[in-house]
Amino acid sequence: MKNLIALMATCLAALMTGLEVSSVPVILPSIGQDLRADFDSAQWVMNAYTIACTSILMVAGTLADRLGRRRVFTASMILFGAASLGCGMARTISMLIVYRVLQGAGGGAMLICLIAILSNAYRDGAERGRAFAVWGIVFGMGLGIGPLFGGLIASLIGWRWVFLIHGPLTILTIALVFATIRESRAAGAHQLDLAGMLSLSFSVLGLTFFIIEGPQYGFGSSVMLSMAAAALVSATIFVTVEWLSAHPMVDFSVFRIPNFTGAIMGSAGVNFSFWPLLIYLPLYFENGIGYDRATTGLILLAYTLPALLLPPLGEQLALRYSPRNVIPCGLMLIALGCWAITLGLVLAAPGWISLIPGCILTGMGLGLANTPSSNAATYAVEADRAGMASGIETTIRYVALSVNIALMGLILLIGVRSSLAHDSGGLDAAHASATAERLLTDGIGNDKITVAQQLGRQLALKRGFETLTVYAGLAALFFAMSSFIAFRCETSKRTVGQTQ
């Protein structure tokens, strides 16, 4: 019975984590309008969370092993809950971004501790498998219903409650944890790799800052060039530290295993295409077409629901046909779905009917590729290195997400700005950039502009999203091909070995 309640506690935490990832994008337009945030700030609302998660993932596991899993899990829950309340009560966009950093740190540590707690509570292999299956379903449910949840909550009682609701859920989860979960530690926990954590964090932060703020400062400005140089130096330090460490967070030798590299390409691919696009689609549905938040969340179920329903099928297909076939095919399906959304934008008037087929295809691709990628990465290495492999896979997911949130935002802004400058004749670059950012944050509007201007702005948003979905499809195609090639290297190695 205690194990069942412990499972309930971890599932509640997983549900909160899943909801936080997928519900916030739907309310970004509302946040932007209420807190008077520009387009750059809206991107930082998402990236503050993902970068903080990336930073803490690398050390949370070691902290939990040394200090106690229940203790670190409880601390991370308190941080997550308190930061969520701070997000809900933030009065400026800067305050919201700061609280999102704290929320991401708590969420990342919480996610790592969940895995260790479940593994310790369920020692039997069959029971552990069932527990992780339930946990995965609940986490996927949070991801799948997040857009609808965010849209409904924001429409009924305001966007702040999307964050505030985590307060009581946190209290309930902590109560269940203390009632059921015993403290546990690892006998041979390693030293904290602070140098690795800090250098990785600074490199991702520097690259993200360069991409997001580049249009404002100018990519060739001294500020941006300095930031790019700092990111490169930090990345070099990270690689050097991990290469020389006796107990690295990232053992680069695992990338010599083709099956591991192929799986990692799959994990990076879904986080480089599917999830960043989820962040920007609500902007088009609300600001480009004019749907309300609840309708936007409902439409996005076509994008996220297949990702919740299809993982069991993806696992079965991976067992029957091998992950080396299923993962690239899933990524290809994401690419085709993105391009189907492009066709829906190009060939039809703005509306959900023309976009739904592409959303469904993209969600199906994620459902087929996502779970097999994680499992294949873990199974590709020896059992005693599975935890390290899982940590690398999770970290790469968040790095890919952080970088491509920034890249997609830049591509979207350039697409809208180019359309405005081209169709408006004499509109200068600065005016076009300002108008593009205003369109993406505040929508088309209808005050003090002519019908022709309204149509021009709507067309600019549409063309911007056409460019964005083409890019998302190309990104998924690139990782599909990279995964396919990496897996084939394993096949080639086996063939050569058998020949010899």
Side-chain angles (χ1 to χ4, degrees):
M1 183 63 181
K2 279 193 172 183
N3 279 357
L4 180 60
I5 299 177
L7 179 60
M8 289 173 57
T10 56
C11 284
L12 262 177
L15 180 66
M16 285 190 283
T17 306
L19 287 174
E20 196 56 37
V21 171
S22 61
S23 63
V24 175
V26 181
I27 63 173
L28 279 179
S30 300
I31 291 173
Q33 293 168 14
D34 191 20
L35 300 184
R36 298 180 180 179
D38 57 19
F39 184 59
D40 292 354
S41 299
Q43 293 179 78
W44 282 115
V45 169
M46 292 304 304
N47 256 335
Y49 186 92
T50 57
I51 292 174
C53 274
T54 303
S55 303
I56 204 68
L57 283 172
M58 306 299 284
V59 297
T62 303
L63 278 175
D65 288 343
R66 290 170 62 88
L67 303 178
R69 281 119 185 196
R70 190 181 76 168
R71 180 178 297 174
V72 175
F73 177 73
T74 303
S76 65
M77 283 294 307
I78 292 172
L79 178 59
F80 180 85
S84 297
L85 293 177
C87 289
M89 294 185 290
R91 296 301 169 188
T92 66
I93 193 65
S94 299
M95 287 177 60
L96 178 59
I97 291 171
V98 170
Y99 283 121
R100 285 286 284 171
V101 171
L102 298 175
Q103 191 187 36
M110 184 170 66
L111 188 61
I112 291 297
C113 292
L114 285 175
I115 299 170
I117 287 173
L118 277 181
S119 298
N120 188 65
Y122 290 88
R123 300 298 182 92
D124 179 72
E127 284 189 356
R128 181 183 295 182
R130 286 193 291 271
F132 271 98
V134 172
W135 178 82
I137 289 171
V138 173
F139 181 62
M141 188 181 302
L143 292 172
I145 67 172
L148 181 60
F149 168 83
L152 286 175
I153 292 294
S155 296
L156 295 174
I157 53 179
W159 65 265
R160 295 181 182 277
W161 283 96
V162 174
F163 297 110
L164 294 174
I165 199 169
H166 292 303
L169 290 177
T170 298
I171 295 172
L172 176 60
T173 304
I174 292 174
L176 292 175
V177 166
F178 272 94
T180 59
I181 296 175
R182 293 180 179 179
E183 188 60 279
S184 63
R185 294 178 175 85
H190 300 308
Q191 293 289 328
L192 288 177
D193 189 356
L194 288 177
M197 181 196 77
L198 292 175
S199 56
L200 176 65
S201 302
F202 284 133
S203 62
V204 176
L205 177 61
L207 179 58
T208 303
F209 187 91
F210 177 79
I211 297 170
I212 292 177
E213 302 296 338
Q216 178 180 346
Y217 289 95
F219 286 105
S221 68
S222 58
V223 173
M224 289 295 100
L225 292 178
S226 298
M227 189 59 65
L232 180 60
V233 170
S234 296
T236 304
I237 292 173
F238 173 72
V239 172
T240 304
V241 166
E242 298 306 298
W243 192 270
L244 298 177
S245 174
H247 302 288
M249 295 185 299
V250 177
D251 184 353
F252 292 107
S253 67
V254 294
F255 289 97
R256 297 173 188 163
I257 304 171
N259 279 349
F260 178 81
T261 303
I264 288 296
M265 289 296 105
S267 298
V270 297
N271 275 46
F272 209 79
S273 54
F274 181 92
W275 293 114
L277 190 58
L278 173 64
I279 291 169
Y280 292 108
L281 279 177
L283 294 178
Y284 182 69
F285 287 134
E286 293 188 37
N287 293 339
I289 303 178
Y291 293 138
D292 59 31
R293 289 177 292 263
T295 303
T296 295
L298 190 62
I299 295 170
L300 285 174
L301 281 179
Y303 192 76
T304 58
L305 208 54
L308 168 63
L309 299 176
L310 289 186
L313 175 61
E315 280 297 290
Q316 290 299 316
L317 290 174
L319 288 173
R320 183 168 183 177
Y321 297 108
S322 173
R324 70 175 181 267
N325 295 315
V326 174
I327 293 171
C329 286
L331 291 173
M332 279 299 304
L333 205 54
I334 292 176
L336 292 174
C338 291
W339 293 332
I341 295 175
T342 308
L343 285 177
L345 290 167
V346 172
L347 300 179
W352 64 269
I353 294 178
S354 62
L355 304 179
I356 284 291
C359 290
I360 293 173
L361 276 178
T362 309
M364 289 173 61
L366 178 72
L368 294 180
N370 195 38
T371 306
S373 295
S374 297
N375 291 342
T378 304
Y379 292 141
V381 302
E382 299 86 351
D384 61 348
R385 305 172 83 191
M388 183 268 297
S390 177
I392 293 175
E393 191 261 348
T394 306
T395 300
I396 286 178
R397 281 181 179 271
Y398 276 101
V399 170
L401 180 58
S402 299
V403 171
N404 215 32
I405 288 173
L407 274 176
M408 281 194 174
L410 176 61
I411 289 168
L412 178 58
L413 183 62
I414 291 174
V416 175
R417 183 180 64 193
S418 299
S419 178
L420 287 171
H422 178 268
D423 293 337
S424 300
L427 194 64
D428 61 272
H431 190 188
S433 294
T435 305
E437 288 205 22
R438 195 161 56 249
L439 283 177
L440 291 169
T441 52
D442 299 331
I444 295 169
N446 53 17
D447 53 330
K448 298 181 181 179
I449 60 173
T450 65
V451 174
Q453 287 175 318
Q454 271 191 299
L455 293 174
R457 292 181 176 187
Q458 189 176 59
L459 180 61
L461 279 175
K462 193 170 88 148
R463 286 178 176 171
F465 277 89
E466 288 169 8
T467 306
L468 183 66
T469 51
V470 168
Y471 164 76
L474 290 173
L477 175 63
F478 169 80
F479 282 100
M481 294 176 63
S482 300
S483 178
F484 180 85
I485 292 169
F487 278 123
R488 264 50 193 182
C489 289
E490 178 72 21
T491 305
S492 301
K493 283 175 63 178
R494 290 178 180 175
T495 304
V496 171
Q498 291 170 359
T499 303
Q500 292 176 343

